[in-house]
Amino acid sequence: GVALIGIPAGICALGFTATGIAAGSMAAKMMSAAAIANSGGVAAGSPVAVLQSIGAAGFSLGAKIGLTSTLGPLGAAVGAKL
C-alpha cells in the first residue's frame, strides 16, 4: 500500500505533476536533457515520458496489480523478520 502512494508522491516531488513538469525542478532538468539527446523531443516510452505519465494520471490498474503482487509478499517477509 505504501508503494502505491509513496512512489507517485516521490515522482510528484521530483516535479512530474498532474498539470505538467514544474519549472526549475529535477523533472525539468531531466526533460531538457532528454530533449537535447533526441533532437528537441522526448521519446515515447522514455523514463521522462513514463514518469510524466505517472505524475499526471497515477499508476495504471495493471501497474497497481503488479506492484501489489510483487511488493505485498516482500512486505510480509520483512514484517515476519521484524
Side-chain angles (χ1 to χ4, degrees), residues 20-58:
I21 292 180
S25 66
M26 177 61 72
K29 292 175 185 167
M30 291 173 66
M31 185 175 180
S32 175
I36 290 169
N38 290 304
S39 302
V42 175
S46 70
V48 173
V50 171
L51 289 170
Q52 180 54 40
S53 176
I54 294 169

PDB file of all heavy atoms in Angstrom, residues 20-58:
ATOM      1  N   GLY A  20       1.658  19.027 -15.426  1.00  0.00           N
ATOM      2  CA  GLY A  20       2.840  19.081 -16.275  1.00  0.00           C
ATOM      3  C   GLY A  20       4.115  19.108 -15.449  1.00  0.00           C
ATOM      4  O   GLY A  20       4.085  18.908 -14.242  1.00  0.00           O
ATOM      5  N   ILE A  21       5.204  19.368 -16.088  1.00  0.00           N
ATOM      6  CA  ILE A  21       6.502  19.396 -15.420  1.00  0.00           C
ATOM      7  C   ILE A  21       6.709  20.764 -14.792  1.00  0.00           C
ATOM      8  O   ILE A  21       6.559  21.795 -15.456  1.00  0.00           O
ATOM      9  CB  ILE A  21       7.622  19.034 -16.408  1.00  0.00           C
ATOM     10  CG1 ILE A  21       7.471  17.567 -16.802  1.00  0.00           C
ATOM     11  CG2 ILE A  21       8.987  19.313 -15.821  1.00  0.00           C
ATOM     12  CD1 ILE A  21       8.480  17.040 -17.766  1.00  0.00           C
ATOM     13  N   ALA A  22       7.055  20.763 -13.515  1.00  0.00           N
ATOM     14  CA  ALA A  22       7.245  22.009 -12.771  1.00  0.00           C
ATOM     15  C   ALA A  22       8.554  22.689 -13.182  1.00  0.00           C
ATOM     16  O   ALA A  22       9.599  22.042 -13.282  1.00  0.00           O
ATOM     17  CB  ALA A  22       7.263  21.721 -11.269  1.00  0.00           C
ATOM     18  N   ALA A  23       8.472  23.979 -13.437  1.00  0.00           N
ATOM     19  CA  ALA A  23       9.644  24.763 -13.836  1.00  0.00           C
ATOM     20  C   ALA A  23      10.704  24.723 -12.749  1.00  0.00           C
ATOM     21  O   ALA A  23      10.403  24.812 -11.559  1.00  0.00           O
ATOM     22  CB  ALA A  23       9.232  26.204 -14.114  1.00  0.00           C
ATOM     23  N   GLY A  24      11.961  24.578 -13.155  1.00  0.00           N
ATOM     24  CA  GLY A  24      13.079  24.609 -12.233  1.00  0.00           C
ATOM     25  C   GLY A  24      13.260  23.340 -11.411  1.00  0.00           C
ATOM     26  O   GLY A  24      14.144  23.276 -10.561  1.00  0.00           O
ATOM     27  N   SER A  25      12.470  22.324 -11.678  1.00  0.00           N
ATOM     28  CA  SER A  25      12.534  21.083 -10.901  1.00  0.00           C
ATOM     29  C   SER A  25      13.525  20.097 -11.519  1.00  0.00           C
ATOM     30  O   SER A  25      14.043  20.309 -12.624  1.00  0.00           O
ATOM     31  CB  SER A  25      11.156  20.439 -10.852  1.00  0.00           C
ATOM     32  OG  SER A  25      10.775  20.009 -12.151  1.00  0.00           O
ATOM     33  N   MET A  26      13.760  19.013 -10.803  1.00  0.00           N
ATOM     34  CA  MET A  26      14.588  17.929 -11.331  1.00  0.00           C
ATOM     35  C   MET A  26      13.947  17.376 -12.607  1.00  0.00           C
ATOM     36  O   MET A  26      14.649  17.044 -13.563  1.00  0.00           O
ATOM     37  CB  MET A  26      14.732  16.823 -10.287  1.00  0.00           C
ATOM     38  CG  MET A  26      15.527  15.629 -10.772  1.00  0.00           C
ATOM     39  SD  MET A  26      17.228  15.989 -11.242  1.00  0.00           S
ATOM     40  CE  MET A  26      17.931  16.257  -9.642  1.00  0.00           C
ATOM     41  N   ALA A  27      12.620  17.310 -12.638  1.00  0.00           N
ATOM     42  CA  ALA A  27      11.916  16.832 -13.823  1.00  0.00           C
ATOM     43  C   ALA A  27      12.211  17.722 -15.026  1.00  0.00           C
ATOM     44  O   ALA A  27      12.398  17.227 -16.141  1.00  0.00           O
ATOM     45  CB  ALA A  27      10.415  16.781 -13.553  1.00  0.00           C
ATOM     46  N   ALA A  28      12.262  19.016 -14.809  1.00  0.00           N
ATOM     47  CA  ALA A  28      12.561  19.948 -15.900  1.00  0.00           C
ATOM     48  C   ALA A  28      13.975  19.718 -16.429  1.00  0.00           C
ATOM     49  O   ALA A  28      14.204  19.757 -17.647  1.00  0.00           O
ATOM     50  CB  ALA A  28      12.389  21.384 -15.427  1.00  0.00           C
ATOM     51  N   LYS A  29      14.908  19.457 -15.538  1.00  0.00           N
ATOM     52  CA  LYS A  29      16.286  19.180 -15.962  1.00  0.00           C
ATOM     53  C   LYS A  29      16.358  17.874 -16.743  1.00  0.00           C
ATOM     54  O   LYS A  29      17.062  17.782 -17.744  1.00  0.00           O
ATOM     55  CB  LYS A  29      17.199  19.145 -14.741  1.00  0.00           C
ATOM     56  CG  LYS A  29      17.358  20.499 -14.092  1.00  0.00           C
ATOM     57  CD  LYS A  29      18.163  20.426 -12.823  1.00  0.00           C
ATOM     58  CE  LYS A  29      18.166  21.814 -12.181  1.00  0.00           C
ATOM     59  NZ  LYS A  29      18.643  21.796 -10.822  1.00  0.00           N
ATOM     60  N   MET A  30      15.622  16.868 -16.263  1.00  0.00           N
ATOM     61  CA  MET A  30      15.602  15.586 -16.967  1.00  0.00           C
ATOM     62  C   MET A  30      14.981  15.733 -18.354  1.00  0.00           C
ATOM     63  O   MET A  30      15.480  15.172 -19.335  1.00  0.00           O
ATOM     64  CB  MET A  30      14.813  14.553 -16.148  1.00  0.00           C
ATOM     65  CG  MET A  30      15.494  14.120 -14.870  1.00  0.00           C
ATOM     66  SD  MET A  30      14.442  13.070 -13.839  1.00  0.00           S
ATOM     67  CE  MET A  30      14.275  11.618 -14.863  1.00  0.00           C
ATOM     68  N   MET A  31      13.897  16.500 -18.432  1.00  0.00           N
ATOM     69  CA  MET A  31      13.234  16.706 -19.718  1.00  0.00           C
ATOM     70  C   MET A  31      14.147  17.460 -20.682  1.00  0.00           C
ATOM     71  O   MET A  31      14.211  17.137 -21.869  1.00  0.00           O
ATOM     72  CB  MET A  31      11.924  17.455 -19.543  1.00  0.00           C
ATOM     73  CG  MET A  31      11.138  17.594 -20.816  1.00  0.00           C
ATOM     74  SD  MET A  31       9.550  18.355 -20.490  1.00  0.00           S
ATOM     75  CE  MET A  31       8.884  18.395 -22.122  1.00  0.00           C
ATOM     76  N   SER A  32      14.851  18.449 -20.185  1.00  0.00           N
ATOM     77  CA  SER A  32      15.771  19.212 -21.027  1.00  0.00           C
ATOM     78  C   SER A  32      16.862  18.313 -21.582  1.00  0.00           C
ATOM     79  O   SER A  32      17.163  18.353 -22.779  1.00  0.00           O
ATOM     80  CB  SER A  32      16.380  20.360 -20.212  1.00  0.00           C
ATOM     81  OG  SER A  32      17.360  21.033 -20.965  1.00  0.00           O
ATOM     82  N   ALA A  33      17.438  17.477 -20.720  1.00  0.00           N
ATOM     83  CA  ALA A  33      18.497  16.567 -21.165  1.00  0.00           C
ATOM     84  C   ALA A  33      17.965  15.570 -22.192  1.00  0.00           C
ATOM     85  O   ALA A  33      18.630  15.276 -23.191  1.00  0.00           O
ATOM     86  CB  ALA A  33      19.091  15.828 -19.969  1.00  0.00           C
ATOM     87  N   ALA A  34      16.747  15.060 -21.964  1.00  0.00           N
ATOM     88  CA  ALA A  34      16.145  14.117 -22.909  1.00  0.00           C
ATOM     89  C   ALA A  34      15.870  14.786 -24.248  1.00  0.00           C
ATOM     90  O   ALA A  34      16.087  14.194 -25.301  1.00  0.00           O
ATOM     91  CB  ALA A  34      14.858  13.538 -22.325  1.00  0.00           C
ATOM     92  N   ALA A  35      15.397  16.025 -24.207  1.00  0.00           N
ATOM     93  CA  ALA A  35      15.098  16.741 -25.450  1.00  0.00           C
ATOM     94  C   ALA A  35      16.377  17.031 -26.235  1.00  0.00           C
ATOM     95  O   ALA A  35      16.405  16.890 -27.458  1.00  0.00           O
ATOM     96  CB  ALA A  35      14.359  18.040 -25.141  1.00  0.00           C
ATOM     97  N   ILE A  36      17.429  17.403 -25.535  1.00  0.00           N
ATOM     98  CA  ILE A  36      18.713  17.656 -26.211  1.00  0.00           C
ATOM     99  C   ILE A  36      19.227  16.376 -26.860  1.00  0.00           C
ATOM    100  O   ILE A  36      19.697  16.375 -27.996  1.00  0.00           O
ATOM    101  CB  ILE A  36      19.738  18.246 -25.220  1.00  0.00           C
ATOM    102  CG1 ILE A  36      19.332  19.675 -24.841  1.00  0.00           C
ATOM    103  CG2 ILE A  36      21.153  18.204 -25.801  1.00  0.00           C
ATOM    104  CD1 ILE A  36      20.106  20.256 -23.672  1.00  0.00           C
ATOM    105  N   ALA A  37      19.107  15.250 -26.144  1.00  0.00           N
ATOM    106  CA  ALA A  37      19.587  13.973 -26.663  1.00  0.00           C
ATOM    107  C   ALA A  37      18.764  13.467 -27.836  1.00  0.00           C
ATOM    108  O   ALA A  37      19.259  12.689 -28.656  1.00  0.00           O
ATOM    109  CB  ALA A  37      19.592  12.929 -25.551  1.00  0.00           C
ATOM    110  N   ASN A  38      17.512  13.916 -27.948  1.00  0.00           N
ATOM    111  CA  ASN A  38      16.616  13.424 -29.001  1.00  0.00           C
ATOM    112  C   ASN A  38      16.235  14.500 -30.000  1.00  0.00           C
ATOM    113  O   ASN A  38      15.121  14.495 -30.527  1.00  0.00           O
ATOM    114  CB  ASN A  38      15.346  12.827 -28.369  1.00  0.00           C
ATOM    115  CG  ASN A  38      15.634  11.542 -27.651  1.00  0.00           C
ATOM    116  OD1 ASN A  38      16.168  10.619 -28.230  1.00  0.00           O
ATOM    117  ND2 ASN A  38      15.298  11.490 -26.368  1.00  0.00           N
ATOM    118  N   SER A  39      17.113  15.426 -30.256  1.00  0.00           N
ATOM    119  CA  SER A  39      16.902  16.479 -31.254  1.00  0.00           C
ATOM    120  C   SER A  39      15.639  17.297 -31.010  1.00  0.00           C
ATOM    121  O   SER A  39      14.882  17.604 -31.928  1.00  0.00           O
ATOM    122  CB  SER A  39      16.860  15.873 -32.653  1.00  0.00           C
ATOM    123  OG  SER A  39      18.056  15.177 -32.926  1.00  0.00           O
ATOM    124  N   GLY A  40      15.374  17.615 -29.742  1.00  0.00           N
ATOM    125  CA  GLY A  40      14.284  18.522 -29.415  1.00  0.00           C
ATOM    126  C   GLY A  40      13.014  17.888 -28.908  1.00  0.00           C
ATOM    127  O   GLY A  40      12.095  18.584 -28.499  1.00  0.00           O
ATOM    128  N   GLY A  41      12.918  16.591 -28.922  1.00  0.00           N
ATOM    129  CA  GLY A  41      11.706  15.920 -28.446  1.00  0.00           C
ATOM    130  C   GLY A  41      12.022  14.921 -27.351  1.00  0.00           C
ATOM    131  O   GLY A  41      13.162  14.545 -27.162  1.00  0.00           O
ATOM    132  N   VAL A  42      10.997  14.516 -26.648  1.00  0.00           N
ATOM    133  CA  VAL A  42      11.139  13.476 -25.635  1.00  0.00           C
ATOM    134  C   VAL A  42      10.514  12.210 -26.212  1.00  0.00           C
ATOM    135  O   VAL A  42       9.337  12.202 -26.583  1.00  0.00           O
ATOM    136  CB  VAL A  42      10.445  13.873 -24.319  1.00  0.00           C
ATOM    137  CG1 VAL A  42      10.496  12.752 -23.307  1.00  0.00           C
ATOM    138  CG2 VAL A  42      11.096  15.129 -23.752  1.00  0.00           C
ATOM    139  N   ALA A  43      11.297  11.160 -26.308  1.00  0.00           N
ATOM    140  CA  ALA A  43      10.838   9.924 -26.931  1.00  0.00           C
ATOM    141  C   ALA A  43       9.746   9.252 -26.105  1.00  0.00           C
ATOM    142  O   ALA A  43       9.818   9.201 -24.879  1.00  0.00           O
ATOM    143  CB  ALA A  43      12.019   8.971 -27.096  1.00  0.00           C
ATOM    144  N   ALA A  44       8.734   8.751 -26.808  1.00  0.00           N
ATOM    145  CA  ALA A  44       7.676   7.987 -26.139  1.00  0.00           C
ATOM    146  C   ALA A  44       8.289   6.750 -25.502  1.00  0.00           C
ATOM    147  O   ALA A  44       9.150   6.100 -26.084  1.00  0.00           O
ATOM    148  CB  ALA A  44       6.617   7.576 -27.157  1.00  0.00           C
ATOM    149  N   GLY A  45       7.873   6.458 -24.281  1.00  0.00           N
ATOM    150  CA  GLY A  45       8.394   5.302 -23.567  1.00  0.00           C
ATOM    151  C   GLY A  45       9.694   5.550 -22.838  1.00  0.00           C
ATOM    152  O   GLY A  45      10.199   4.665 -22.157  1.00  0.00           O
ATOM    153  N   SER A  46      10.255   6.752 -22.989  1.00  0.00           N
ATOM    154  CA  SER A  46      11.488   7.081 -22.278  1.00  0.00           C
ATOM    155  C   SER A  46      11.179   7.262 -20.793  1.00  0.00           C
ATOM    156  O   SER A  46      10.025   7.449 -20.406  1.00  0.00           O
ATOM    157  CB  SER A  46      12.100   8.360 -22.843  1.00  0.00           C
ATOM    158  OG  SER A  46      11.294   9.477 -22.494  1.00  0.00           O
ATOM    159  N   PRO A  47      12.198   7.205 -19.928  1.00  0.00           N
ATOM    160  CA  PRO A  47      11.950   7.405 -18.500  1.00  0.00           C
ATOM    161  C   PRO A  47      11.210   8.711 -18.195  1.00  0.00           C
ATOM    162  O   PRO A  47      10.321   8.734 -17.353  1.00  0.00           O
ATOM    163  CB  PRO A  47      13.354   7.406 -17.890  1.00  0.00           C
ATOM    164  CG  PRO A  47      14.144   6.540 -18.814  1.00  0.00           C
ATOM    165  CD  PRO A  47      13.594   6.844 -20.185  1.00  0.00           C
ATOM    166  N   VAL A  48      11.550   9.783 -18.878  1.00  0.00           N
ATOM    167  CA  VAL A  48      10.888  11.068 -18.642  1.00  0.00           C
ATOM    168  C   VAL A  48       9.409  10.971 -19.018  1.00  0.00           C
ATOM    169  O   VAL A  48       8.539  11.426 -18.275  1.00  0.00           O
ATOM    170  CB  VAL A  48      11.573  12.216 -19.420  1.00  0.00           C
ATOM    171  CG1 VAL A  48      10.785  13.507 -19.319  1.00  0.00           C
ATOM    172  CG2 VAL A  48      12.987  12.419 -18.912  1.00  0.00           C
ATOM    173  N   ALA A  49       9.104  10.346 -20.151  1.00  0.00           N
ATOM    174  CA  ALA A  49       7.713  10.211 -20.581  1.00  0.00           C
ATOM    175  C   ALA A  49       6.912   9.336 -19.623  1.00  0.00           C
ATOM    176  O   ALA A  49       5.775   9.657 -19.275  1.00  0.00           O
ATOM    177  CB  ALA A  49       7.662   9.632 -21.996  1.00  0.00           C
ATOM    178  N   VAL A  50       7.508   8.248 -19.158  1.00  0.00           N
ATOM    179  CA  VAL A  50       6.826   7.351 -18.230  1.00  0.00           C
ATOM    180  C   VAL A  50       6.572   8.046 -16.897  1.00  0.00           C
ATOM    181  O   VAL A  50       5.471   7.975 -16.339  1.00  0.00           O
ATOM    182  CB  VAL A  50       7.632   6.052 -18.036  1.00  0.00           C
ATOM    183  CG1 VAL A  50       7.058   5.209 -16.908  1.00  0.00           C
ATOM    184  CG2 VAL A  50       7.669   5.250 -19.336  1.00  0.00           C
ATOM    185  N   LEU A  51       7.589   8.733 -16.371  1.00  0.00           N
ATOM    186  CA  LEU A  51       7.419   9.441 -15.101  1.00  0.00           C
ATOM    187  C   LEU A  51       6.371  10.537 -15.207  1.00  0.00           C
ATOM    188  O   LEU A  51       5.570  10.741 -14.294  1.00  0.00           O
ATOM    189  CB  LEU A  51       8.756  10.014 -14.629  1.00  0.00           C
ATOM    190  CG  LEU A  51       9.769   8.973 -14.151  1.00  0.00           C
ATOM    191  CD1 LEU A  51      11.134   9.629 -13.945  1.00  0.00           C
ATOM    192  CD2 LEU A  51       9.304   8.287 -12.884  1.00  0.00           C
ATOM    193  N   GLN A  52       6.329  11.246 -16.338  1.00  0.00           N
ATOM    194  CA  GLN A  52       5.315  12.283 -16.512  1.00  0.00           C
ATOM    195  C   GLN A  52       3.924  11.674 -16.575  1.00  0.00           C
ATOM    196  O   GLN A  52       2.971  12.213 -16.031  1.00  0.00           O
ATOM    197  CB  GLN A  52       5.588  13.131 -17.756  1.00  0.00           C
ATOM    198  CG  GLN A  52       4.556  14.226 -17.961  1.00  0.00           C
ATOM    199  CD  GLN A  52       4.367  15.124 -16.746  1.00  0.00           C
ATOM    200  OE1 GLN A  52       5.326  15.482 -16.075  1.00  0.00           O
ATOM    201  NE2 GLN A  52       3.133  15.470 -16.431  1.00  0.00           N
ATOM    202  N   SER A  53       3.817  10.530 -17.219  1.00  0.00           N
ATOM    203  CA  SER A  53       2.527   9.854 -17.283  1.00  0.00           C
ATOM    204  C   SER A  53       2.047   9.457 -15.883  1.00  0.00           C
ATOM    205  O   SER A  53       0.889   9.654 -15.536  1.00  0.00           O
ATOM    206  CB  SER A  53       2.645   8.608 -18.168  1.00  0.00           C
ATOM    207  OG  SER A  53       1.442   7.887 -18.167  1.00  0.00           O
ATOM    208  N   ILE A  54       2.942   8.919 -15.079  1.00  0.00           N
ATOM    209  CA  ILE A  54       2.584   8.550 -13.703  1.00  0.00           C
ATOM    210  C   ILE A  54       2.248   9.803 -12.899  1.00  0.00           C
ATOM    211  O   ILE A  54       1.282   9.815 -12.139  1.00  0.00           O
ATOM    212  CB  ILE A  54       3.718   7.753 -13.034  1.00  0.00           C
ATOM    213  CG1 ILE A  54       3.902   6.398 -13.732  1.00  0.00           C
ATOM    214  CG2 ILE A  54       3.420   7.547 -11.545  1.00  0.00           C
ATOM    215  CD1 ILE A  54       5.159   5.659 -13.320  1.00  0.00           C
ATOM    216  N   GLY A  55       3.022  10.859 -13.073  1.00  0.00           N
ATOM    217  CA  GLY A  55       2.755  12.104 -12.359  1.00  0.00           C
ATOM    218  C   GLY A  55       1.414  12.705 -12.724  1.00  0.00           C
ATOM    219  O   GLY A  55       0.712  13.261 -11.890  1.00  0.00           O
ATOM    220  N   ALA A  56       1.020  12.560 -13.986  1.00  0.00           N
ATOM    221  CA  ALA A  56      -0.235  13.147 -14.448  1.00  0.00           C
ATOM    222  C   ALA A  56      -1.449  12.305 -14.079  1.00  0.00           C
ATOM    223  O   ALA A  56      -2.473  12.834 -13.684  1.00  0.00           O
ATOM    224  CB  ALA A  56      -0.185  13.340 -15.959  1.00  0.00           C
ATOM    225  N   ALA A  57      -1.332  10.991 -14.201  1.00  0.00           N
ATOM    226  CA  ALA A  57      -2.509  10.135 -14.052  1.00  0.00           C
ATOM    227  C   ALA A  57      -2.390   9.075 -12.971  1.00  0.00           C
ATOM    228  O   ALA A  57      -3.341   8.371 -12.702  1.00  0.00           O
ATOM    229  CB  ALA A  57      -2.804   9.462 -15.384  1.00  0.00           C
ATOM    230  N   GLY A  58      -1.223   8.935 -12.368  1.00  0.00           N
ATOM    231  CA  GLY A  58      -1.024   7.861 -11.396  1.00  0.00           C
ATOM    232  C   GLY A  58      -0.720   6.552 -12.111  1.00  0.00           C
ATOM    233  O   GLY A  58      -0.533   6.517 -13.321  1.00  0.00           O
TER     234      GLY A  58
END
